[in-house]
Amino acid sequence: MDNDDLGLFGPGSITWKVHDEPVLIVAGLRSLYLQALHPRAMAGVAQNSNYRSDAWGRLVRTGTYIDTVNYGTTAEAETAGRRLRALHARLRATDPFTGEPFRIDDPDLLRWVHVTEVESFVGTARRAGLSLTDAEVDGYYAEQRRAAALVGLDPADVPGSAAEVADYYRTVRPELRMTKAAAETALFLTAPPIPWKLSRPARLGLSLGPPRWAYFGVAGTALGLLPPWALRLYGGLGLPTTALTADLSVRTLRLALAALPRTWRESPIRQAAKDRVVRSLAV
C-alpha cells in the first residue's frame, strides 16, 4: 500500500539522518547564496520568478518539494518530480552576457542547483555538530542521485561522493562571478521583507523587531558557511576566523532548534513519514 511505502530513502538512509536536522534552514539559505554566483542560473531565476514579491511563498514551496522527495512515498516523490520537470520544460531565459536564449532545464544548470543544495545540506549538518563519517557523507551524495534523477538528470552525471563534489566545484568555478543580479539577490536574501505577523515593533525603541534580528543572524551564519572561494566572490576575505565564527553560530542554533517541540521542528510530511515507519514496525 502507498500509505505504508517508505519512499525513495527510508529510516536507515543517510538522507533521513541528515534531513532530520532542523538547522538545515541555514543550509537552504547557504545554497541560495551559492546558486546566485552562477550567471545563467541567476538569470533563470530573475527572468522567471517572482521571488521578490513572494519570497516566503517560494521558500515554503521549495521546502515542501524537498521534504516530499526525501520523506514522501515513492509515488508522491515521483509526482513532485514530474510536476517540476514539466514546469522547467516550459521556461526559457536569456544569457546576461551573450544574449543567447537557454532552457531552464539545461542539465548543467540543474546539476549546479542540485550540487549546491546537497553539498550545503550535508556540509551544514556536519559543521553544526551532526556526527557523520566520511563514508556516510559519500553515502549521502550517492543517495541523493535519486533526487537528481527526479529533476531530469542522469544520475551517472551527478557527483556521488565528496571527492566528486570537490572536483565539480573546481571545474565550474571559472564560470562563477559576482554580477549585478547576484549582488541584488544576495542583498535581498540577507534582508528580505518579514511577514507582517512577525514584523512587530521592537521594545526599547529599536526599529527592527526580534524576528528580523534573528533572521539577520541566520543569514550571517549562512554566508559565513560558504566556501572561502565563494566568500571572496562576495567581497569577503574567507578567513579561517570567519569559518570558526560560523561554525560556533550554527552549532548554537542547532542546540536551540533541537529544544523546540517536534510539531515545530518537523513538517507534516516528515511526521507522516515517521508515522508510516511506526506502522511498518508494528506489522
Side-chain angles (χ1 to χ4, degrees):
M1 292 177 60
D2 279 350
N3 287 340
D4 294 324
D5 179 88
L6 299 182
L8 298 180
F9 303 103
S13 66
I14 309 302
T15 291
W16 275 33
K17 181 177 181 178
V18 169
H19 285 268
D20 200 39
E21 292 291 316
V23 78
L24 292 197
I25 186 174
V26 179
L29 189 55
R30 177 190 187 271
S31 72
L32 294 178
Y33 281 119
L34 268 180
Q35 290 165 23
L37 293 172
H38 193 297
R40 280 204 171 190
M42 188 64 256
V45 171
Q47 295 172 31
N48 289 280
S49 171
N50 62 343
Y51 75 93
R52 288 183 180 277
S53 60
D54 187 29
W56 298 100
R58 188 170 187 267
L59 180 64
V60 169
R61 290 190 293 274
T62 300
T64 298
Y65 175 80
I66 293 172
D67 262 3
T68 300
V69 169
N70 290 331
Y71 288 98
T73 65
T74 301
E76 289 170 342
E78 291 176 345
T79 297
R82 281 195 300 272
R83 289 174 177 165
L84 189 62
R85 291 197 304 275
L87 173 62
H88 286 166
R90 299 194 299 267
L91 301 179
R92 303 290 187 275
T94 301
D95 187 291
F97 297 103
T98 67
E100 178 187 3
F102 62 91
R103 296 174 60 102
I104 297 301
D105 59 0
D106 181 303
D108 288 341
L109 298 183
L110 295 178
R111 188 179 302 108
W112 168 249
V113 171
H114 172 81
V115 173
T116 54
E117 284 184 350
V118 297
E119 186 270 328
S120 290
F121 287 140
V122 74
T124 298
R126 205 178 199 187
R127 291 174 70 173
L130 179 64
S131 178
L132 290 169
T133 65
D134 291 345
E136 286 178 314
V137 171
D138 287 345
Y140 174 77
Y141 286 129
E143 288 177 2
Q144 284 296 309
R145 282 174 160 170
R146 302 171 204 168
L150 290 181
V151 301
L153 286 166
D154 181 346
D157 294 333
V158 176
S161 68
E164 290 179 6
V165 168
D167 286 342
Y168 170 78
Y169 275 148
R170 279 192 289 270
T171 300
V172 78
R173 276 174 57 184
E175 302 174 32
L176 308 180
R177 66 189 72 181
M178 172 56 68
T179 62
K180 180 175 182 290
E184 290 174 347
T185 298
L187 179 60
F188 182 82
L189 291 172
T190 304
I194 300 295
W196 70 269
K197 289 183 179 180
L198 296 179
S199 186
R200 299 173 179 173
R203 297 179 181 178
L204 304 179
L206 295 178
S207 60
L208 297 177
R212 186 171 291 279
W213 282 117
Y215 181 85
F216 281 164
V218 171
T221 299
L223 272 170
L225 291 172
L226 289 175
W229 52 262
L231 276 173
R232 287 193 291 271
L233 285 174
Y234 273 115
L237 298 177
L239 297 173
T241 51
T242 302
L244 177 60
T245 300
D247 286 347
L248 292 174
S249 296
V250 78
R251 285 174 178 263
T252 301
L253 182 59
R254 181 186 184 226
L255 292 175
L257 291 174
L260 296 175
R262 178 192 175 199
T263 53
W264 290 20
R265 290 184 287 110
E266 297 181 355
S267 70
I269 296 172
R270 193 175 310 182
Q271 292 179 39
K274 293 184 177 181
D275 290 343
R276 288 197 301 276
V277 172
V278 172
R279 288 199 301 273
S280 70
L281 294 176
V283 174

